[in-house]
Amino acid sequence: MSHIITVPAFSDNYIWLICDEKVENAVIVDPGDATPVLSILNEQDITPEGILITHFHHDHVGGIAGILQKYPDLPVYGPVNESIPHITHPLSGSEQLHFEDINIRFEVLNVPGHTAGHIAYYGDGKLFCGDTLFAAGCGRVFNGTLEELHNSLQKVKALPADTLIYCAHEYTLDNIGFAKWVEPDSGSLLAREEQAMALIDANKPTVPSLLSLELETNPFLRTDLPHVKEQVEKGTGKKLQNSAEVFAAMRTWKDRDYD
Ligand SMILES: [Zn+2]
Protein backbone atom coordinates (compact mmCIF):
# COMPACT_ATOMS: atom_id res chain seq x y z
CA MET A 1 0.00 0.00 0.00
CA SER A 2 1.26 3.41 -0.86
CA HIS A 3 1.11 6.33 1.51
CA ILE A 4 0.02 9.67 0.09
CA ILE A 5 1.17 13.06 1.33
CA THR A 6 -1.02 16.01 0.38
CA VAL A 7 0.91 19.16 -0.48
CA PRO A 8 -1.32 22.21 -0.80
CA ALA A 9 0.00 24.80 -3.27
CA PHE A 10 -1.11 28.23 -4.49
CA SER A 11 -4.70 29.00 -3.48
CA ASP A 12 -6.40 25.68 -4.26
CA ASN A 13 -3.96 23.22 -5.89
CA TYR A 14 -2.93 19.85 -4.53
CA ILE A 15 0.45 18.32 -5.32
CA TRP A 16 0.59 14.63 -4.39
CA LEU A 17 3.58 12.70 -3.04
CA ILE A 18 3.09 8.97 -3.54
CA CYS A 19 5.31 7.27 -0.99
CA ASP A 20 6.17 3.73 0.07
CA GLU A 21 4.77 2.48 3.37
CA LYS A 22 7.81 3.62 5.32
CA VAL A 23 7.64 7.06 3.67
CA GLU A 24 11.25 6.88 2.50
CA ASN A 25 10.74 7.33 -1.26
CA ALA A 26 8.21 9.24 -3.32
CA VAL A 27 7.03 10.12 -6.78
CA ILE A 28 5.74 13.66 -7.11
CA VAL A 29 2.55 14.34 -9.06
CA ASP A 30 2.06 17.69 -10.82
CA PRO A 31 4.45 19.93 -8.88
CA GLY A 32 3.20 23.38 -9.80
CA ASP A 33 5.48 24.85 -7.15
CA ALA A 34 8.86 23.44 -6.06
CA THR A 35 9.12 25.15 -2.67
CA PRO A 36 6.52 23.22 -0.63
CA VAL A 37 7.61 19.93 -2.23
CA LEU A 38 11.30 20.46 -1.48
CA SER A 39 10.59 21.42 2.11
CA ILE A 40 8.53 18.27 2.77
CA LEU A 41 11.17 16.04 1.11
CA ASN A 42 13.77 17.70 3.28
CA GLU A 43 11.81 17.72 6.55
CA GLN A 44 10.72 14.10 6.25
CA ASP A 45 13.95 12.85 4.68
CA ILE A 46 12.15 11.43 1.62
CA THR A 47 14.04 10.52 -1.56
CA PRO A 48 12.20 11.43 -4.77
CA GLU A 49 12.10 8.72 -7.45
CA GLY A 50 10.40 10.63 -10.23
CA ILE A 51 7.90 13.27 -11.29
CA LEU A 52 4.56 12.44 -12.93
CA ILE A 53 2.91 15.18 -15.00
CA THR A 54 -0.70 15.04 -16.19
CA HIS A 55 -0.79 18.11 -18.49
CA PHE A 56 1.05 21.26 -19.44
CA HIS A 57 -0.71 23.94 -17.35
CA HIS A 58 1.67 26.06 -15.33
CA ASP A 59 0.10 25.23 -11.96
CA HIS A 60 1.02 21.57 -12.64
CA VAL A 61 4.52 21.94 -14.13
CA GLY A 62 5.91 25.22 -12.73
CA GLY A 63 7.94 23.49 -10.01
CA ILE A 64 9.71 20.90 -12.20
CA ALA A 65 12.78 23.08 -12.85
CA GLY A 66 13.22 23.95 -9.17
CA ILE A 67 13.00 20.30 -8.12
CA LEU A 68 15.51 19.29 -10.83
CA GLN A 69 17.96 21.90 -9.55
CA LYS A 70 18.21 19.89 -6.36
CA TYR A 71 17.68 16.44 -7.99
CA PRO A 72 19.06 16.77 -11.55
CA ASP A 73 18.80 13.04 -12.40
CA LEU A 74 15.13 12.65 -11.54
CA PRO A 75 13.07 11.10 -14.37
CA VAL A 76 10.14 13.25 -15.45
CA TYR A 77 7.13 11.48 -17.00
CA GLY A 78 4.51 13.39 -18.93
CA PRO A 79 2.28 13.52 -21.99
CA VAL A 80 4.05 13.11 -25.32
CA ASN A 81 1.57 15.38 -27.09
CA GLU A 82 2.13 18.48 -24.99
CA SER A 83 5.05 20.83 -24.94
CA ILE A 84 6.54 20.56 -21.44
CA PRO A 85 10.21 21.30 -20.69
CA HIS A 86 12.29 18.65 -18.87
CA ILE A 87 10.15 15.61 -19.74
CA THR A 88 12.52 12.63 -19.98
CA HIS A 89 9.86 9.90 -20.46
CA PRO A 90 7.09 10.97 -22.86
CA LEU A 91 3.90 8.91 -22.48
CA SER A 92 0.96 8.51 -24.83
CA GLY A 93 -1.31 6.35 -22.65
CA SER A 94 -1.51 2.58 -22.02
CA GLU A 95 2.11 2.39 -20.78
CA GLN A 96 2.85 0.63 -17.50
CA LEU A 97 5.22 2.30 -15.02
CA HIS A 98 6.86 0.51 -12.12
CA PHE A 99 8.57 2.29 -9.24
CA GLU A 100 10.38 -0.47 -7.37
CA ASP A 101 11.39 1.52 -4.31
CA ILE A 102 7.78 2.48 -3.72
CA ASN A 103 6.47 -0.89 -4.84
CA ILE A 104 3.82 0.65 -7.06
CA ARG A 105 2.78 0.12 -10.66
CA PHE A 106 0.83 2.66 -12.68
CA GLU A 107 -1.18 2.28 -15.80
CA VAL A 108 -1.07 5.44 -17.92
CA LEU A 109 -4.51 6.50 -19.18
CA ASN A 110 -5.01 8.81 -22.12
CA VAL A 111 -7.71 11.26 -20.94
CA PRO A 112 -7.85 14.24 -23.32
CA GLY A 113 -10.45 16.98 -23.00
CA HIS A 114 -9.30 19.54 -20.40
CA THR A 115 -6.19 19.70 -22.59
CA ALA A 116 -5.59 17.81 -25.83
CA GLY A 117 -2.80 15.60 -24.46
CA HIS A 118 -3.92 15.12 -20.84
CA ILE A 119 -2.95 11.79 -19.25
CA ALA A 120 -3.73 10.21 -15.86
CA TYR A 121 -1.97 7.65 -13.67
CA TYR A 122 -3.85 4.70 -12.18
CA GLY A 123 -2.27 2.38 -9.61
CA ASP A 124 -2.79 0.84 -6.18
CA GLY A 125 -6.51 1.64 -6.37
CA LYS A 126 -5.81 5.34 -6.87
CA LEU A 127 -6.30 7.61 -9.85
CA PHE A 128 -4.20 10.75 -10.25
CA CYS A 129 -6.27 12.56 -12.81
CA GLY A 130 -5.02 16.17 -12.82
CA ASP A 131 -7.80 18.45 -14.03
CA THR A 132 -9.93 15.79 -15.79
CA LEU A 133 -12.34 14.78 -13.03
CA PHE A 134 -12.82 16.86 -9.89
CA ALA A 135 -14.74 16.00 -6.75
CA ALA A 136 -18.37 16.68 -7.76
CA GLY A 137 -17.25 18.26 -11.05
CA CYS A 138 -14.86 18.07 -13.99
CA GLY A 139 -12.28 20.25 -15.69
CA ARG A 140 -13.10 22.96 -18.19
CA VAL A 141 -12.25 22.36 -21.80
CA PHE A 142 -9.18 24.37 -22.84
CA ASN A 143 -7.52 22.99 -25.97
CA GLY A 144 -9.25 19.60 -25.97
CA THR A 145 -12.89 19.07 -26.95
CA LEU A 146 -16.12 18.42 -25.05
CA GLU A 147 -16.48 15.10 -26.84
CA GLU A 148 -12.97 14.04 -25.77
CA LEU A 149 -13.65 14.98 -22.17
CA HIS A 150 -16.92 13.02 -22.18
CA ASN A 151 -15.10 9.96 -23.55
CA SER A 152 -12.31 10.33 -20.99
CA LEU A 153 -14.82 10.46 -18.15
CA GLN A 154 -16.39 7.24 -19.47
CA LYS A 155 -12.93 5.64 -19.06
CA VAL A 156 -12.79 6.86 -15.47
CA LYS A 157 -16.31 5.56 -14.81
CA ALA A 158 -15.18 2.10 -15.90
CA LEU A 159 -12.55 1.87 -13.14
CA PRO A 160 -13.43 -0.07 -9.95
CA ALA A 161 -15.96 1.85 -7.82
CA ASP A 162 -13.62 1.84 -4.81
CA THR A 163 -10.94 3.79 -6.74
CA LEU A 164 -9.73 6.84 -4.84
CA ILE A 165 -9.80 9.97 -6.99
CA TYR A 166 -6.85 12.30 -6.44
CA CYS A 167 -7.65 15.40 -8.45
CA ALA A 168 -5.49 18.51 -8.46
CA HIS A 169 -7.77 21.21 -7.02
CA GLU A 170 -9.95 21.91 -3.99
CA TYR A 171 -13.09 22.85 -5.93
CA THR A 172 -15.52 20.50 -4.18
CA LEU A 173 -17.91 22.89 -2.44
CA ASP A 174 -18.16 25.15 -5.46
CA ASN A 175 -18.80 22.12 -7.67
CA ILE A 176 -21.52 20.87 -5.34
CA GLY A 177 -23.27 24.22 -5.77
CA PHE A 178 -23.63 23.55 -9.49
CA ALA A 179 -24.42 19.86 -8.98
CA LYS A 180 -27.47 21.04 -6.98
CA TRP A 181 -28.69 22.94 -10.06
CA VAL A 182 -28.67 19.61 -11.89
CA GLU A 183 -30.05 17.43 -9.09
CA PRO A 184 -31.78 19.68 -6.54
CA ASP A 185 -33.56 16.75 -4.89
CA SER A 186 -30.54 14.51 -4.37
CA GLY A 187 -30.17 13.52 -0.72
CA SER A 188 -26.67 12.11 -1.39
CA LEU A 189 -25.62 15.47 -2.75
CA LEU A 190 -26.89 17.35 0.31
CA ALA A 191 -25.16 14.84 2.59
CA ARG A 192 -21.98 15.29 0.59
CA GLU A 193 -22.25 19.06 0.91
CA GLU A 194 -22.51 18.81 4.70
CA GLN A 195 -19.49 16.51 4.85
CA ALA A 196 -17.46 18.78 2.58
CA MET A 197 -18.37 21.87 4.63
CA ALA A 198 -17.29 20.13 7.83
CA LEU A 199 -13.93 19.21 6.28
CA ILE A 200 -13.34 22.72 4.93
CA ASP A 201 -14.30 24.23 8.31
CA ALA A 202 -11.74 21.92 9.92
CA ASN A 203 -9.16 23.06 7.35
CA LYS A 204 -8.94 19.58 5.84
CA PRO A 205 -8.93 18.58 2.15
CA THR A 206 -12.08 17.06 0.65
CA VAL A 207 -9.84 15.13 -1.77
CA PRO A 208 -9.34 12.25 -2.40
CA SER A 209 -12.89 11.10 -2.99
CA LEU A 210 -14.21 7.67 -3.85
CA LEU A 211 -15.30 6.94 -7.40
CA SER A 212 -18.51 5.38 -5.98
CA LEU A 213 -19.38 8.75 -4.40
CA GLU A 214 -18.64 10.53 -7.68
CA LEU A 215 -20.89 8.10 -9.53
CA GLU A 216 -23.65 8.99 -7.07
CA THR A 217 -23.20 12.78 -6.87
CA ASN A 218 -21.05 14.11 -9.71
CA PRO A 219 -23.41 15.36 -12.44
CA PHE A 220 -20.74 15.03 -15.14
CA LEU A 221 -20.68 11.25 -14.54
CA ARG A 222 -24.49 11.06 -14.56
CA THR A 223 -25.25 12.43 -18.01
CA ASP A 224 -26.87 9.12 -19.07
CA LEU A 225 -29.72 9.46 -16.52
CA PRO A 226 -33.13 10.62 -17.79
CA HIS A 227 -33.81 13.09 -14.94
CA VAL A 228 -30.36 14.65 -15.42
CA LYS A 229 -31.00 15.03 -19.15
CA GLU A 230 -34.37 16.69 -18.43
CA GLN A 231 -32.87 19.16 -15.98
CA VAL A 232 -30.06 20.12 -18.38
CA GLU A 233 -32.62 20.56 -21.15
CA LYS A 234 -34.57 22.86 -18.85
CA GLY A 235 -31.48 24.84 -17.88
CA THR A 236 -30.16 25.24 -21.40
CA GLY A 237 -33.36 25.29 -23.46
CA LYS A 238 -31.90 22.61 -25.75
CA LYS A 239 -33.29 19.25 -26.78
CA LEU A 240 -30.58 16.68 -26.08
CA GLN A 241 -30.22 13.21 -27.61
CA ASN A 242 -27.57 11.28 -25.68
CA SER A 243 -25.04 11.27 -22.85
CA ALA A 244 -22.40 13.11 -24.92
CA GLU A 245 -24.84 15.90 -25.80
CA VAL A 246 -26.05 16.17 -22.20
CA PHE A 247 -22.44 16.36 -21.05
CA ALA A 248 -21.53 19.07 -23.57
CA ALA A 249 -24.61 21.13 -22.71
CA MET A 250 -24.01 20.73 -18.95
CA ARG A 251 -20.36 21.78 -19.18
CA THR A 252 -21.28 24.81 -21.33
CA TRP A 253 -24.16 25.71 -19.00
CA LYS A 254 -21.83 25.71 -15.98
CA ASP A 255 -19.23 27.84 -17.78
CA ARG A 256 -21.81 30.31 -18.95
CA ASP A 257 -24.13 30.72 -15.99
CA TYR A 258 -22.48 29.35 -12.87
CA ASP A 259 -18.83 30.47 -12.77
ZN1 LIG B 1 -5.27 22.44 -16.02
Side-chain angles (χ1 to χ4, degrees):
M1 279 288 278
S2 52
H3 174 85
I4 309 295
I5 297 176
T6 309
V7 186
F10 310 118
S11 59
D12 53 32
N13 278 74
Y14 290 127
I15 300 166
W16 305 107
L17 301 189
I18 307 167
C19 309
D20 59 306
E21 265 176 53
K22 292 183 176 167
V23 196
E24 290 171 345
N25 305 288
V27 288
I28 306 157
V29 184
D30 281 356
D33 188 1
T35 310
V37 173
L38 291 173
S39 51
I40 287 178
L41 295 176
N42 184 41
E43 277 161 25
Q44 301 197 31
D45 197 19
I46 300 170
T47 307
E49 302 293 326
I51 296 177
L52 304 180
I53 299 296
T54 61
H55 67 295
F56 73 90
H57 284 160
H58 186 73
D59 60 325
H60 297 251
V61 304
I64 300 175
I67 293 170
L68 291 179
Q69 265 179 14
K70 172 120 197 252
Y71 303 98
D73 299 329
L74 213 54
V76 183
Y77 301 80
V80 66
N81 291 325
E82 299 196 343
S83 163
I84 303 169
H86 310 296
I87 297 279
T88 57
H89 294 66
L91 304 168
S92 57
S94 79
E95 292 93 345
Q96 305 278 338
L97 308 180
H98 182 208
F99 293 92
E100 267 176 44
D101 291 332
I102 303 171
N103 191 23
I104 192 164
R105 288 173 196 278
F106 290 106
E107 187 183 332
V108 180
L109 306 180
N110 184 26
V111 287
H114 173 70
T115 63
H118 202 303
I119 57 174
Y121 301 88
Y122 173 65
D124 192 28
K126 302 173 174 75
L127 178 71
F128 296 86
C129 57
D131 291 351
T132 299
L133 180 69
F134 290 126
C138 73
R140 285 168 184 262
V141 167
F142 283 88
N143 63 338
T145 68
L146 287 163
E147 195 185 353
E148 283 172 337
L149 187 53
H150 176 258
N151 290 338
S152 295
L153 293 182
Q154 302 313 302
K155 272 187 212 173
V156 173
K157 271 176 87 166
L159 295 173
D162 61 354
T163 301
L164 284 163
I165 306 293
Y166 287 82
C167 61
H169 287 276
E170 181 59 63
Y171 289 161
T172 313
L173 266 184
D174 192 51
N175 284 337
I176 290 173
F178 176 75
K180 284 163 68 182
W181 285 18
V182 180
E183 292 187 273
D185 303 324
S186 163
S188 330
L189 200 50
L190 295 179
R192 185 173 193 183
E193 185 175 41
E194 267 181 36
Q195 275 173 353
M197 276 179 178
L199 286 168
I200 298 288
D201 284 347
N203 216 4
K204 288 182 178 157
T206 65
V207 182
S209 69
L210 267 176
L211 180 56
S212 55
L213 180 63
E214 298 308 326
L215 294 171
E216 210 181 310
T217 55
N218 188 326
F220 293 97
L221 299 182
R222 294 168 63 77
T223 49
D224 52 342
L225 298 173
H227 72 278
V228 169
K229 172 170 149 338
E230 264 172 44
Q231 189 74 359
V232 178
E233 285 181 336
K234 242 194 253 173
T236 59
K238 279 186 183 162
K239 198 80 193 130
L240 304 165
Q241 300 303 328
N242 51 44
S243 172
E245 285 189 16
V246 175
F247 175 81
M250 187 189 288
R251 183 64 260 184
T252 311
W253 183 24
K254 183 168 191 267
D255 291 341
R256 194 190 59 198
D257 293 348
Y258 185 75
D259 40 37

